Each structure stands twice: as structure tokens, then as C-alpha cells.
Amino acid sequence: MLKRHHKILHTTFLLLLFFSLGTKAQNSKVVSIPLIAYIQSLEATFKVKFSYVDEDLENLKINPIEGEYLSVILSGIQNQTQLQIKKLSDRYYTLYKNTTVDICAQVLDNYESNTIPGATVEVLGSSIALVTNFEGTFSLKNIPRQATLRIRFLGYKTRYIRAEELVDPSPCLQILLVPNYEELDEVILFKLLTTGLSQQRDGSILLTIDDFGILPGLIEPDVLQTVQALPGIKSIDETVSDINVRGGTNDQNLILWDGIKMYQSGHFFGLISAFNPYLTDKVTIIKNGTSAQYGEGVSSIINMESQNNINGTFFGGAGFNLISGDAYAHVPLGQKLAFQFSARRSVTDFLNTPTYNRFFEKAFQDSEIKDSNDQSIDDGIVREEDFYFYDISGKILYDLNENQKVRLSFINIKNDLAYTETAQDSSRSSRSGLDQNNISFGGQLESTWTSNFTTHLNMYYTRYNLDARNSSDNGSQQLFQNNQVLETAVKFNTNYEFSNTLGMLNGYAFTETGIINFTNVTQPAFKSNIKGVLRQHSLFSELNYTSSDKKLHARAGTRLNYLENLNTFKEWILEPRLSLAYNFTKHFNGELLGEFKNQATNQIIDLEQNFLGIEKQRWILSDNDKLPITKSKQGSLGFNYDDKSWYLGIQGFYKEVNGISTSTQGFQNQNQFNGEIGKYDVKGIEFLINKKTTTFSTWLSYAYNLNNYTFEDVTPNTFPNNLDIRHTVTFAGTYTYEGLKLGVGLNYRTGKPYTEPQEGSNGIDRTTFPNTINYQENNSSRLPDYLRADASAIYDFEMGNRIKSSIGVSFLNLLNKRNVLNTYYRLNDDDQIETIESVSLGITPNVSFRLTF
């Protein structure tokens, strides 16, 4: 009782003190006090009791109310708090919350204390929205008490606040918005080709999916197809899983998804990208001048980032085309938590479409065999296939607070094939199967410690597995191959801004990569199981400088790598990096880029005839013996002009890549088994001219490459690279009118090199067992020139207030031109030379329908 008595005296004293202060300073701002303490003082003063739920009142404050009568004071409490007060008897009262409240507030800049008119105020989960008036104020009535308001204004950080925190006092409460000083990763310099494509100040190319328009042949923003519209990036075999950047092989591209290295990038054996674009926020393509934070990828980096901000409202979409169907969604679970997912599955195992038929013919055409008289001997073979693919991705976004953000990502990519060929005349059959799977998990922690110091922690685990099975001659010979990659990585970056013009990036990365290559053959009996583990520690540092007049942008850094193959070698490698850009005038810019890079993971290429020639690449680790570490150095100089309606760009480059092996380059002649070590060097020019208006864009691009191998143990030791495409030309255009988008384009390139057998009887060496083919000089012949026309059309329309729709139609190889992509030779059972030609897609239609909401 004594303790309670002291508590009543204490609260009464506080109340009297507040009343006294209010009497002495009538014009001063009234001080708010906790509502529970105020009610306790009323209980002592008026000898009454109030019942309430502590959680309902514990965060509420009130301005003391002048008055002699309890009824007047209680009415004032209702007005200030919008609580309901019910009299149960002369002594007992109850207080409880309304389910709805009336609110008002004034939005201010917390730095200048200026009002912010025109700020957007939204009640999440409803259609209620408005903007603040000239005084920066707003008011709403009958809003759910637990509703969350989102307040946004350009240049300020978005603010989330509960409606019950803004109950309608007088004057309205003030909401302070914090200016957003976040600097963009790179400054956009030039818009290219279509909406959503732009060149950055450091020479990289940025693809923003939300803004993407249309490109010829594309009705969906397929990431790995889109990048091929840029000069210097092509796929010689028309796949997305074999992209060649400035004469390099596909395994020399570093492909990242949410910071995770991807070892599988395609569906349908490379004809379709494995990454759903609709939750991808942006894609950065780097051909040279790479930041020191990136390792590997001696040819290029393709960095895909999914949407990274929590959106308080649900959005999603779904669609289908003649190959697959997909769905995606962003689901907010609160103002600090959201979940994203996407899923896609093929319809090829239960629906036969013209698009699937064309893709199937392209993927499995290597079984089309011709004799020495160029006559097909492929008749009388019955083919059966069972094929499907899917990909699933998910992401959890959680903001611990405004300065710490946690992101957890997941992706699973799968291809599955069962294929049988049966000869009708002999009933001999051959069965092949492929099971390709990539599963990855990643986590990121983004922290802002001060206005000029941030950190980024990235960890991931990825597992790639390929099982290939082949049974021929009715099962008398069986072959099984397994390729497995397990990789774990931890990367930590720090960014410090010394000033508005100078910043510094530092960091450390650790990667452990384990690769297994297992082979088992029954006839003749052969078994091989090669395992390797590579650990890599990297320290990197770079400075970023932008002059005060914004004309000069410079980035210079270095990356120090320590590589350790647990079976064979240890090595230190230092890699300098440089990016310089200078604006000579408002519209004219020059850039100088350079880099040294290395990579210790490569893909060897099996014989073309294994597993139908559709999936013949196996990941392996460098051992610095049979396969050294691949090292590159590259420099480029370019100039760009842009006046909004015209863009003109030209860039010359030189690249040298050492430590390549004939086993990783896809040789199909006398050098395909020998494993000689050498290099290649590329000299080239890339040119692009682009005319743009608000409704159309047309462009002409040209690329010249002189790409040569040098192998000291091969005669002659210098000869054209397998990917030596001397001339590449693209002429294309797009047109947009209201909801209609049209695109048409023409692609031309000279033929790639290949090696023919010697003529006549010299074509076969019968002095060896088994007999072999005698070839002419390496890559001394060239395939015919390549020409393909593509077209596409998309129409966007609305199906209600919240649902947007689109219909798309595309045609690949509109002229149905037969382009030979590759030619190689082999001996059949009768020791006759067979010619195997790989040809391009025929005319390939596709149709899509999409909904977004």
C-alpha cells in the first residue's frame, strides 16, 4: 500500500508540475505526456478506475487538458487519441481502440524543415492515395488503425508509418522525410538501340528490363538473346549457352545471377535463356575495363540482378508462348519483408508446336549423315524423344532497418531428355539421355554505416550436375558421363566516399570450387574419375574519381589472387584494371579501357557425335600442366557521339588470351585429341550508328575481328581461330505507336573457318589402326556467309484498372535461309568419310500472351 501511495503522489506531482508550467507559459508549446501516466493521475484525483489493454495505450501521448469536470477531460482524451471511452458506473470506465481513425499530418524536409507539397501518400492494401497540398499537409478519415501509409517524394527516402501514429490532433503531426543521397552505381551516358539499353560512363552496357522495348525476333526480354544485339557479342551456333564475346569461347564469360556464378545458362540445349527476365531488374554487360571486384571471365561479364527493393504492394504476371509457360510475383509480407518468386516450365513433353519442331530439328540435326557424294543416308530412322525443362527462382527481401538489408536468393534450372533412334531395316537402336541441373543459394547483407561508408557481404553455394547416358548397338556398348561442379564463395566489399569526387572500393573474396569428371565405358572397358579442388583468395582495391565539372571519370584498381589447386599448384597473380572516360564536349566522349584477368575453370569439348552433339561441354579445373591457368590482357580505345537523336560510336581493341588448350576450343580435325597449349589474339573494330526519335529507332552496326591461334607444337603454328568471324553487320529498326511495337532486322556475317580432309585417296590414312582422316592445314577453309532476317511485333493493351496484357508474334529466319553453322568429318563403319553439317534454324514462328497485375 505504501508503494502504491508513493506512486499516486508521484504522478499527481508530475501532473501539477505540467499544469504549473502551462500556467506560467501560456504561449509555449505544450509538452505531451504518456497517456497511461495521465490516466493514473485522473484516477487519483477523481477517485475513479479505468480499465484498458496496456498495449493499446502504451505508445500514446497526450497534451494535458484543462478543466474541472471529468467529463470535459474525457471528451478531450477522445478528441486527441480517437479512443472510445465508455462509462460503466459512477466509478468505473473502460478505454478501447476504434478499428478506424481519422488522421492528418504535415510532410517536411528534415534537413531544411521546408514543407513538401506534392508528396504521394498511399494507404497500402487499398486504393486510397492522395498528394500533400501546398502546405505539405494531408488528412484522411476512417482509415484502418493498423493500416500502413507509404509516403514518397522524388529525391527523398520512402517513409512508412502506421495510421494510428497520425491520429488527428491539432495541429497535425509532422512527418520528416530524409533526403536520399544514394549515388547510382554508374552514370548513364548514352541510350542505345531501344528503350532500356544504355551505355554507362565506364564503358559497360546496362539493360533495364522494366524499360525494355523491342528487338527484332524477340517478343520477350530474353537476357542472353538481347545482349547479342550489341556489337562484338554473337553466338556462332545460334544459342544462348554459347555466346562469343570478341572472339572468346562461352566458358570465358562470367555469368552472375544475384552475385552467384552460374555454370548453366540455357534451356533446350542453349536455344533459350534459363533466367526469367520479369523479376530481373537490371543486367550489366562488361567487355573490358572490369572493376577490380570481379574475378574470372577473361572475355566478358554478364551480371544479372533481380529486383532488390521492397514494394509495399503486390504485383506479378503470367504468360505463355509456344515453348513454355511462366508466372512470377512480388508478395509484400509487411513494410520490411517481401517475397519474390518466378517459375517456368516447358510444354514440349505434351504439346507439339511449330516452334518446338524447329528447335528440335536444330538441336538434334547432327544425326543427319551424308556420304562422300553428299547424299543423305539418314532415311529409315525412327526417332522418339521425351524432353522437358523448368526453372524456379525465389528471393526473400528483409530490411532490418533503413541501413541494413538482408537478401536471400534461390534458383533451380533443369533440363531432362530421353532420346531413341531406331533403324527400321536392322532394328538397331541407340538410346541417349541427359539430365542437366543447376541449383544455387545466395545471401547478401547490405549495410550503410555512415553517409559515406557502406559494406556489402555476399555468400553463395552453387551445384551444377550433368549426367549423360548412351546405349548403342541394342545395349552392347554403354557410356555414362557425369560432370559435377560444387562451389562455395564469400565476398566482402567496402565503399568509402572521401568526397563528392573521390571514392575507394576495397574487398576480399574467397572461392572454393570442386569439379568431378566421371566416365565409364563398357566396350572397350574404360573408367575414369577425375576430381579436383581449387581454392582462391583475392584482395582488391580501386579508386574512383569524378572531376568537379563531371567531364572526367576515372577508375583504377588492382586485384591480387592466390590460387591453390590442392593436387598440383599454387600461384600468385596480380591483375591491374583501368577505366577512363572524358567528355570533350556535351555530346562527344572518349574512353580508354584496360584489364588483366585470369580464370581457372574451363570447359573441355567432347567429340561432336557424343550424345547427339547437343551437350558436349564438361567443366574442368586448371592443373597448370595439361591445362594451365587461362590469362588475358586487353586494351581498347573508343569515341562516342550522342545528341539524343543520333548516336555514333567506334571502338578499337586488342585482346590476347594465353593458356588455352585445343581440348577447350572445339577442334574437329587432327588436333582435337592432342591437347596442345597455346594462345589466341584478337584485333578488332566495333562501330555503331543509331538514329532515334520518340517513335522509331534504326541502327547499323559493324564489327571486324582478326582472330588467330598460336600453338607452338602445331604445324603451321599460327592459323585462324575457330571463332574467327572477320565481318559482322547488323541493320535493324523498331517502331512504336501507342501500344504497338514493331521490330525487323537483318544479320550478316562471313563464314567461320573449318578444316577439310585432303582430296581423293589421300583423305584417309590406312597405315594406322584404326584408320584416321588426313586433313588439310588447320582452318584453311571457310563456311558460306551467314544471313538471317528476324521480325517481331508486340501489342500492349489493358484488361481493367489493374491488369495489363500483351500479345506478341515473332519470326526467326524470316526468309527461311539455310545457313551452315558448322561442318566436320568422321569415318563410318565402312571406313568412308562422312560429312556432318550443322545448319541454322529454319523459319521459326512464336506467339506469346502475357498478363501483368
Side-chain angles (χ1 to χ4, degrees):
M1 289 295 294
L2 183 61
K3 184 175 181 180
R4 178 176 176 80
H5 179 67
H6 286 165
K7 184 175 182 181
I8 293 174
L9 289 176
H10 179 67
T11 54
T12 303
F13 173 76
L14 287 175
L15 183 60
L16 291 174
L17 178 62
F18 284 122
F19 281 141
S20 175
L21 291 172
T23 303
K24 293 178 180 179
Q26 294 292 330
N27 297 325
S28 301
K29 184 178 179 180
V30 179
V31 179
S32 298
I33 64 172
L35 177 59
I36 292 179
Y38 185 62
I39 288 175
Q40 289 173 347
S41 69
L42 294 178
E43 289 179 330
T45 302
F46 294 98
K47 309 300 181 184
V48 294
K49 289 289 183 180
F50 294 95
S51 64
Y52 51 85
V53 178
D54 289 346
E55 289 79 4
D56 287 348
L57 276 62
E58 62 183 359
N59 294 322
L60 297 180
K61 292 186 177 182
I62 193 170
N63 299 329
I65 302 165
E66 295 184 8
E68 299 180 2
Y69 301 102
L70 179 61
S71 59
V72 174
I73 296 174
L74 295 182
S75 178
I77 293 175
Q78 284 183 303
N79 291 336
Q80 288 194 37
T81 65
Q82 297 188 34
L83 291 171
Q84 289 294 315
I85 303 178
K86 185 176 182 181
K87 183 177 181 180
L88 302 178
S89 66
D90 289 340
R91 189 181 181 196
Y92 291 98
Y93 294 81
T94 181
L95 288 82
Y96 58 92
K97 285 185 174 182
N98 268 339
T99 57
T100 62
V101 292
D102 298 337
I103 62 175
C104 87
Q106 184 180 35
V107 182
L108 300 174
D109 175 349
N110 81 326
Y111 181 72
E112 298 287 349
S113 295
N114 296 323
T115 59
I116 302 180
T120 302
V121 181
E122 302 169 86
V123 181
L124 299 183
S126 75
S127 59
I128 300 173
L130 76 166
V131 295
T132 56
N133 62 19
F134 185 75
E135 301 295 329
T137 62
F138 69 91
S139 61
L140 291 166
K141 294 185 178 298
N142 295 322
I143 299 301
R145 179 180 288 272
Q146 297 300 320
T148 298
L149 276 69
R150 178 172 62 193
I151 304 169
R152 297 184 292 173
F153 191 72
L154 184 64
Y156 294 85
K157 293 184 178 180
T158 300
R159 178 80 181 270
Y160 295 89
I161 192 168
R162 292 284 186 184
E164 63 182 350
E165 299 179 39
L166 302 175
V167 291
D168 193 2
S170 182
C172 297
L173 293 177
Q174 293 182 343
I175 299 175
L176 305 181
L177 293 188
V178 179
N180 186 5
Y181 296 114
E182 182 180 358
E183 186 177 352
L184 296 176
D185 292 337
E186 297 293 345
V187 179
I188 294 177
L189 191 60
F190 300 124
K191 300 282 188 180
L192 299 175
L193 308 187
T194 187
T195 55
L197 269 176
S198 57
Q199 181 174 327
Q200 308 301 288
R201 189 179 292 276
D202 66 351
S204 64
I205 303 296
L206 178 66
L207 166 62
T208 307
I209 299 297
D210 285 345
D211 301 327
F212 183 76
I214 189 172
L215 287 174
L218 293 181
I219 48 177
E220 296 179 335
D222 187 302
V223 172
L224 300 182
Q225 291 282 10
T226 300
V227 300
Q228 296 181 47
L230 302 169
I233 305 178
K234 294 295 177 185
S235 175
I236 305 305
D237 62 2
E238 294 187 331
T239 68
V240 298
S241 61
D242 197 2
I243 294 177
N244 313 117
V245 180
R246 290 183 171 174
T249 54
N250 181 74
D251 60 329
Q252 294 172 357
N253 301 317
L254 174 62
I255 299 178
L256 299 172
W257 180 84
D258 272 358
I260 305 170
K261 182 178 179 180
M262 305 305 299
Y263 286 89
Q264 180 182 349
S265 58
H267 284 314
F268 218 128
F269 310 109
L271 294 173
I272 303 170
S273 170
F275 307 102
N276 190 312
Y278 295 102
L279 281 177
T280 302
D281 183 33
K282 60 182 181 179
V283 183
T284 305
I285 303 102
I286 306 171
K287 294 187 283 187
N288 191 15
T290 309
S291 168
Q293 65 180 305
Y294 295 109
E296 296 195 314
V298 298
S299 274
S300 76
I301 294 175
I302 301 174
N303 184 19
M304 293 169 282
E305 301 176 56
S306 61
Q307 296 194 24
N308 206 44
N309 294 321
I310 296 175
N311 193 316
T313 57
F314 171 87
F315 67 85
F320 67 87
N321 55 42
L322 298 185
I323 291 293
S324 62
D326 73 278
Y328 69 95
H330 173 98
V331 184
L333 302 175
Q335 66 181 36
K336 293 185 176 181
L337 181 65
F339 173 67
Q340 297 174 355
F341 75 88
S342 69
R344 172 172 51 174
R345 193 193 188 280
S346 64
V347 298
T348 54
D349 50 341
F350 58 85
L351 183 63
N352 200 352
T353 67
T355 312
Y356 170 71
N357 290 335
R358 292 301 190 190
F359 280 12
F360 178 84
E361 291 170 3
K362 167 71 169 61
F364 297 99
Q365 64 181 292
D366 281 348
S367 58
E368 182 179 341
I369 302 171
K370 298 180 179 180
D371 60 21
S372 57
N373 296 318
D374 202 34
Q375 298 296 314
S376 174
I377 58 174
D378 197 39
D379 298 332
I381 295 180
V382 178
R383 297 177 176 85
E384 297 178 4
E385 80 284 346
D386 184 12
F387 170 73
Y388 71 92
F389 66 79
Y390 67 77
D391 58 76
I392 304 171
S393 67
K395 187 173 184 178
I396 296 174
L397 303 89
Y398 178 58
D399 292 349
L400 296 172
N401 51 55
E402 288 188 354
N403 296 320
Q404 267 83 35
K405 299 179 180 180
V406 176
R407 303 293 184 258
L408 303 175
S409 303
F410 159 79
I411 189 169
N412 185 20
I413 304 167
K414 184 177 179 63
N415 286 294
D416 191 275
L417 165 72
Y419 182 79
T420 303
E421 286 185 343
T422 303
Q424 291 179 318
D425 56 351
S426 64
S427 298
R428 295 176 61 183
S429 65
S430 174
R431 293 181 176 87
S432 297
L434 286 168
D435 185 359
Q436 189 178 30
N437 189 48
N438 192 112
I439 184 168
S440 304
F441 302 89
Q444 300 184 50
L445 174 63
E446 304 169 11
S447 302
T448 301
W449 303 102
T450 67
S451 60
N452 56 357
F453 181 64
T454 61
T455 61
H456 184 197
L457 176 65
N458 177 35
M459 298 179 290
Y460 70 81
Y461 166 82
T462 188
R463 178 181 182 272
Y464 168 78
N465 189 82
L466 175 67
D467 290 329
R469 305 168 299 278
N470 181 262
S471 174
S472 58
D473 294 337
N474 293 323
S476 61
Q477 184 186 58
Q478 296 184 6
L479 168 63
F480 174 77
Q481 283 190 328
N482 169 255
N483 183 214
Q484 187 175 119
V485 182
L486 302 173
E487 183 166 290
T488 305
V490 179
K491 302 178 181 180
F492 182 70
N493 293 4
T494 67
N495 281 280
Y496 186 79
E497 300 295 330
F498 296 100
S499 66
N500 292 332
T501 61
L502 184 63
M504 189 174 191
L505 166 72
N506 296 286
Y508 165 77
F510 170 75
T511 306
E512 182 177 86
T513 307
I515 297 182
I516 297 173
N517 270 292
F518 175 77
T519 303
N520 187 20
V521 183
T522 57
Q523 285 187 4
F526 174 78
K527 182 179 290 188
S528 172
N529 190 16
I530 302 173
K531 300 179 180 180
V533 177
L534 180 77
R535 290 175 182 162
Q536 180 169 335
H537 302 265
S538 300
L539 291 171
F540 51 88
S541 180
E542 69 182 21
L543 286 171
N544 291 271
Y545 172 76
T546 302
S547 62
S548 56
D549 59 6
K550 306 299 182 183
K551 287 188 174 182
L552 174 64
H553 176 83
R555 184 180 67 209
T558 187
R559 183 181 181 94
L560 178 63
N561 305 285
Y562 174 70
L563 287 75
E564 178 185 15
N565 187 314
L566 300 187
N567 298 326
T568 57
F569 72 89
K570 299 177 182 179
E571 185 170 343
W572 292 88
I573 301 175
L574 185 66
E575 300 174 342
R577 313 280 176 84
L578 177 66
S579 172
L580 293 175
Y582 186 77
N583 291 340
F584 298 100
T585 68
K586 181 179 179 180
H587 302 295
F588 183 59
N589 159 275
E591 62 183 32
L592 176 65
L593 307 174
E595 65 181 24
F596 283 61
K597 298 175 80 173
N598 83 89
Q599 67 180 62
T601 54
N602 298 273
Q603 284 183 318
I604 58 173
I605 302 175
D606 286 344
L607 293 177
E608 290 288 340
Q609 58 266 37
N610 282 1
F611 304 105
L612 316 167
I614 54 176
E615 189 55 62
K616 49 192 175 292
Q617 298 173 324
R618 306 287 182 267
W619 288 102
I620 60 170
L621 286 174
S622 297
D623 56 12
N624 254 4
D625 180 20
K626 294 182 179 179
L627 184 62
I629 299 172
T630 305
K631 300 176 183 178
S632 73
K633 52 187 177 183
Q634 182 178 185
S636 62
L637 177 66
F639 298 94
N640 306 282
Y641 173 82
D642 188 294
D643 67 355
K644 294 186 178 179
S645 63
W646 283 96
Y647 169 84
L648 178 66
I650 187 169
Q651 190 171 68
F653 69 91
Y654 172 78
K655 179 171 71 173
E656 181 180 300
V657 180
N658 288 276
I660 63 169
S661 168
T662 54
S663 62
T664 66
Q665 297 297 301
F667 280 96
Q668 297 166 294
N669 52 30
Q670 63 269 35
N671 297 308
Q672 60 187 342
F673 304 111
N674 299 337
E676 286 88 352
I677 305 301
K679 70 170 187 174
Y680 71 85
D681 57 86
V682 190
K683 306 176 185 70
I685 296 174
E686 296 167 358
F687 170 80
L688 174 64
I689 183 170
N690 183 199
K691 170 64 177 177
K692 300 161 291 182
T693 70
T694 55
T695 58
F696 80 90
S697 174
T698 183
W699 65 92
L700 174 70
S701 69
Y702 169 74
Y704 169 79
N705 282 0
L706 179 61
N707 190 352
N708 287 320
Y709 286 125
T710 299
F711 289 96
E712 297 298 336
D713 296 328
V714 175
T715 303
N717 54 31
T718 298
F719 53 93
N721 192 301
N722 294 333
L723 302 174
D724 178 41
I725 304 297
R726 294 289 171 88
H727 306 279
T728 304
V729 179
T730 298
F731 179 63
T734 63
Y735 176 77
T736 302
Y737 178 74
E738 295 183 348
L740 179 65
K741 303 174 186 176
L742 302 173
V744 62
L746 193 66
N747 297 279
Y748 165 83
R749 64 173 181 257
T750 52
K752 61 168 285 190
Y754 74 108
T755 308
E756 291 185 288
Q758 295 183 14
E759 297 180 356
S761 59
N762 294 328
I764 301 177
D765 185 355
R766 302 186 185 278
T767 64
T768 62
F769 181 81
N771 295 338
T772 57
I773 298 175
N774 287 325
Y775 288 93
Q776 300 178 25
E777 288 189 355
N778 289 298
N779 289 346
S780 55
S781 301
R782 285 190 178 265
L783 297 175
D785 293 351
Y786 175 96
L787 181 67
R788 191 177 93 174
D790 301 325
S792 55
I794 300 174
Y795 180 68
D796 298 326
F797 59 98
E798 294 187 358
M799 296 179 63
N801 294 331
R802 294 178 56 89
I803 300 178
K804 297 180 179 180
S805 307
S806 68
I807 296 176
V809 180
S810 69
F811 290 91
L812 300 176
N813 196 4
L814 185 62
L815 304 178
N816 200 29
K817 188 175 187 305
R818 186 181 188 274
N819 293 299
V820 180
L821 302 177
N822 192 27
T823 299
Y824 70 98
Y825 305 89
R826 67 186 180 195
L827 293 176
N828 61 18
D829 294 338
D830 297 325
D831 279 343
Q832 297 296 315
I833 296 177
E834 297 174 343
T835 302
I836 295 89
E837 287 186 347
S838 173
V839 299
S840 63
L841 282 167
I843 182 171
T844 305
N846 202 358
V847 177
S848 72
F849 175 73
R850 300 205 62 82
L851 297 173
T852 58
F853 41 82

